[in-house]
Amino acid sequence: NTLDGRRAVLFARSRYADSDYARADRNQALLLALRDRILAGGYDPVALITSLPGLSTNIPDEDIPDLLQLALDSADAEVVRVVFGPPDYTGFVGLAGRRGWISIPDFDAIQAYVRDVVQE
């Protein structure tokens, strides 16, 4: 699918159809799609990124070429995506209802996953 900047942000940030964890997954998908679009060429990457409404950054303009070069240098790298959500990386405590649940990250599981990915 091809989305303009506004629709891309709506896709990534939607909160009503599913969970925060699904939203995190959509954000990862959007970032990879942006990377792929930039790597494909034919676009002004700065214009592409700045076309997203609601996007703000404190990255200085002069650093953007270095970030683009990093994207080019890593174009063939395997991308590993994970959302550290339930049941493997997060548990919940609390009562359902108005106050909701409290998310408790399983730091040992998260750290073990990161160690495994970094070592590969």
Side-chain angles (χ1 to χ4, degrees), residues 55-60:
L55 177 70
S56 64
T57 182
N58 61 355
I59 299 172

Side-chain angles (χ1 to χ4, degrees), residues 21-91:
Y21 301 104
R23 189 174 73 240
D25 185 63
R26 288 191 302 275
N27 275 271
Q28 290 177 11
L30 177 62
L31 289 172
L32 285 175
L34 281 170
R35 183 200 72 152
D36 292 345
R37 180 67 63 98
I38 289 168
L39 292 175
Y43 296 93
D44 175 1
V46 175
L48 179 67
I49 292 169
T50 58
S51 71
L52 296 172
L55 177 70
S56 64
T57 182
N58 61 355
I59 299 172
D61 291 344
E62 62 270 12
D63 289 347
I64 291 177
D66 292 334
L67 292 173
L68 294 173
Q69 188 59 51
L70 178 62
L72 290 169
D73 292 346
S74 64
D76 294 329
E78 178 185 358
V79 174
V80 178
R81 289 179 46 202
V82 67
V83 174
F84 293 122
D88 296 328
Y89 302 104
T90 304

